[in-house]
Amino acid sequence: MRTDSSPGTLPAREHLPAGDAGTPVLDVVIPVYNEEKDLQPCVLRLHDHLKRTFPYAFRITIADNASTDTTPLVAARLETEIPEVSNFRLEQKGRGRALRTVWSASEAPILAYMDVDLSTDLNALLPLVAPLISGHSDLAIGSRLARSSRVVRGPKREFISRAYNLILRGSLQARFSDAQCGFKAIRRDVAQVLLPLVEDTGWFFDTEMLVIAERAGLRIHEVPVDWVDDPDSTVHIVKTATEDLKGVWRVGKALATGSLPLDRITRPFGDDPRDRDIQDVPKGLARQLVGFCVVGGLSTLFYLVLYSLFRQFGGSQVANALALLVSAVANTAANRRLTFGVRGSGGAVRHQAQGLVVFGIGLALTSGSLAALNAATSDPGHSTELAVLVAANLAATVLRFLLFRAWVFSDRRDSEPSTVPASHTPEHGPTSPTYTTAPQYTRHQQPYQPLPQRPVAQPNPYRTTQFRAGEVADQRWEDATLHLQPVRPTDTDPRD
């Protein structure tokens, strides 16, 4: 898995500002491979739909995955004839590679893609991107498995799709319902920090992106869709399923070992400004208590099993020390990962050393309890010993949690970046989100022209900041704030 450096925790979501739309707000990517027959009808139908229904400037990008037929010629002709269509050529196959390349270079704040067969009803496109424009969600996916979806496909495809999603739920604890529907969208600021963590370049790209986003706490919006299976689909089901299962194993292993820096793409708790002003409030205390109790209960059972085992070969003090030592190492590792969310190997040795100090305190409590019991009676029963040890461990557990939170893993909370966004100076007006401009594609392309009814963007009155993320950080992202224009410029209701 990739562990590229990222700029840190994502800022709070913001609604895209309404204003002039000189830059396309939506960039719809259509990955194609040898689709000379379906490409032109798809682009014409999609372009007509967007012209009639989408209220902002848009662009349709054809991502050619090393086609060997006349697909490049068809794409070039469409780019010449339609101003809102652009063409991008890759010399290597892979839907994930095409999406990563085009999305990384696009300057549109909302990025989407759909399959060339247009199996998904286009009426779901505006509901798909609306939560991203409003700032409510980070990603959006079309779902064929939602209750209100209407799907027409054969039993074989239906079985494979549902079985795959059950595998994701059982192995990766995925909560989204449909990973492989070719109808998705993402905010550009989220894509900049999320894409460097996605390793797959093929069909598993969607699933890996969604799993990482969900584990990082990003919000995924699902849209029920009407979907009709394409009987002429060129997808190799067996090969795709095999690659997907390999991807599930790879991502699951990365999540289990903590090699994914998920904390670098988390959102702050709540986007309300009042949430950002709260200071000195313990974060995640309830969740940490629950996790600590679960780990503590399992550790106690593990400790008692080890004590009973070691007691058969030695005295009570020796058995208690060995059982407590082994269970303390396991307890520290489990609390480090599950309770306090520390991932990776950084600081693991120091945490274990501090955990051993906490172990020493627990050893003193339990050993003192056993010494007191032996002083009270010369031959205590085994059940009595266990009861005394349980009581001593309960007292040690409370102290252990306090020491873990205040000392061992205190750097976890102290290192969390502030969720208060940098404010703009008063002379530049109120704050607004910033969308940066990527370098242009390395291809022959006509400059994108805005729709006639949308005036050219006015000079940017807002101060912007440079944004760097992972692989995309190798390129310079210039400042460019986008202003969106309503469908009817006369709509100036102050409530909006």
Side-chain angles (χ1 to χ4, degrees):
M1 299 300 297
R2 299 172 182 235
T3 56
D4 308 58
S5 60
S6 299
T9 302
L10 286 171
R13 303 182 194 90
E14 299 285 354
H15 192 299
L16 298 186
D20 300 328
T23 304
V25 174
L26 174 65
D27 191 353
V28 183
V29 181
I30 304 177
V32 294
Y33 173 73
N34 291 345
E35 299 288 355
E36 56 185 1
K37 295 181 179 180
D38 295 336
L39 180 56
Q40 180 169 330
C42 165
V43 172
L44 294 178
R45 178 183 165 193
L46 176 59
H47 180 264
D48 176 70
H49 178 83
L50 289 171
K51 288 277 287 187
R52 289 185 295 103
T53 64
F54 193 68
Y56 303 115
F58 64 89
R59 177 172 62 212
I60 301 173
T61 301
I62 303 170
D64 180 12
N65 290 280
S67 296
T68 57
D69 58 1
T70 61
T71 297
L73 300 178
V74 176
R77 185 174 69 252
L78 291 170
E79 181 183 33
T80 303
E81 296 175 353
I82 306 176
E84 292 82 17
V85 174
S86 59
N87 177 33
F88 183 78
R89 167 77 177 183
L90 289 91
E91 299 303 328
Q92 292 179 295
K93 293 178 61 177
R95 183 181 67 173
R97 179 180 289 108
L99 293 177
R100 183 203 310 278
T101 304
V102 177
W103 281 356
S104 298
S106 178
E107 73 278 11
I110 305 299
L111 310 170
Y113 94 90
M114 60 183 60
D115 293 334
V116 69
D117 55 13
L118 294 185
S119 296
T120 306
D121 183 17
L122 292 178
N123 287 327
L125 181 56
L126 186 55
L128 183 79
V129 301
L132 308 185
I133 294 177
S134 69
H136 175 270
S137 301
D138 301 297
L139 300 91
I141 64 174
S143 176
R144 299 164 294 184
L145 302 180
R147 290 187 176 182
S148 57
S149 299
R150 294 184 295 179
V151 177
V152 178
R153 61 179 169 183
K156 180 180 179 181
R157 294 288 295 269
E158 180 77 11
F159 172 79
I160 293 176
S161 178
R162 292 188 178 274
Y164 179 65
N165 283 280
L166 286 175
I167 292 175
L168 294 181
R169 289 175 177 269
S171 59
L172 301 179
Q173 288 78 48
R175 294 190 299 271
F176 48 84
S177 62
D178 193 349
Q180 290 288 20
C181 180
F183 197 72
K184 295 181 176 67
I186 185 174
R187 287 176 63 101
R188 178 174 175 265
D189 57 347
V190 176
Q192 286 181 342
V193 296
L194 181 58
L195 294 182
L197 303 180
V198 181
E199 182 176 331
D200 191 79
T201 59
W203 291 95
F204 188 70
F205 174 88
D206 303 46
T207 303
E208 185 172 357
M209 179 180 66
L210 291 174
V211 170
I212 295 176
E214 187 177 67
R215 285 299 187 94
L218 301 183
R219 182 174 293 158
I220 302 176
H221 178 74
E222 294 197 19
V223 178
V225 297
D226 297 339
W227 192 84
V228 179
D229 188 16
D230 180 14
D232 299 325
S233 175
T234 58
V235 178
H236 195 293
I237 297 179
V238 177
K239 180 181 179 180
T240 302
T242 303
E243 295 298 323
D244 287 347
L245 292 177
K246 292 180 180 178
V248 169
W249 169 259
R250 175 174 52 80
V251 173
K253 181 180 179 181
L255 292 173
T257 57
S259 61
L260 280 172
L262 300 180
D263 54 336
R264 299 178 182 175
I265 55 175
T266 57
R267 286 286 193 189
F269 177 78
D271 294 338
D272 191 298
R274 293 169 296 181
D275 296 331
R276 309 170 202 168
D277 296 335
I278 298 176
Q279 301 293 334
D280 300 327
V281 176
K283 299 179 180 179
L285 179 59
R287 182 189 62 80
Q288 290 179 358
L289 281 173
V290 173
F292 185 82
C293 290
V294 172
V295 173
L298 295 177
S299 298
T300 300
L301 293 177
F302 183 50
Y303 162 78
L304 294 176
V305 171
L306 291 177
Y307 176 81
S308 299
L309 179 64
F310 294 145
R311 188 67 174 86
Q312 298 177 5
F313 305 100
S316 60
Q317 294 288 2
V318 175
N320 173 65
L322 291 177
L324 197 57
L325 176 62
V326 176
S327 61
V329 173
N331 181 275
T332 301
N335 278 306
R336 181 178 186 270
R337 174 66 178 86
L338 302 177
T339 303
F340 298 95
V342 181
R343 299 175 175 86
S345 57
V349 176
R350 176 173 59 85
H351 291 156
Q352 284 291 351
Q354 292 172 317
L356 289 178
V357 175
V358 179
F359 149 75
I361 298 175
L363 178 62
L365 286 175
T366 53
S367 297
S369 300
L370 286 176
L373 177 63
N374 291 327
T377 175
S378 59
D379 188 20
H382 182 66
S383 59
T384 305
E385 286 183 349
L386 291 181
V388 171
L389 290 175
V390 167
N393 269 283
L394 288 177
T397 297
V398 176
L399 182 60
R400 186 184 305 118
F401 176 76
L402 296 177
L403 290 176
F404 274 174
R405 181 175 175 81
W407 178 48
V408 180
F409 302 110
S410 60
D411 57 330
R412 168 64 182 169
R413 300 193 313 279
D414 296 339
S415 62
E416 289 180 352
S418 173
T419 58
V420 181
S423 60
H424 297 273
T425 55
E427 64 269 22
H428 289 283
T431 59
S432 66
T434 298
Y435 300 95
T436 52
T437 304
Q440 298 297 322
Y441 298 147
T442 55
R443 56 187 166 94
H444 299 289
Q445 171 186 339
Q446 294 182 353
Y448 176 80
Q449 301 295 331
L451 297 180
Q453 64 270 28
R454 297 174 175 84
V456 180
Q458 298 298 322
N460 178 19
Y462 299 97
R463 177 175 299 176
T464 60
T465 56
Q466 183 171 328
F467 195 94
R468 296 175 61 83
E471 295 177 336
V472 186
D474 295 336
Q475 308 175 23
R476 179 176 176 81
W477 296 84
E478 302 296 339
D479 296 334
T481 300
L482 303 185
H483 301 285
L484 312 188
Q485 181 178 7
V487 185
R488 297 179 294 278
T490 56
D491 291 346
T492 57
D493 191 337
R495 294 174 298 177
D496 296 335

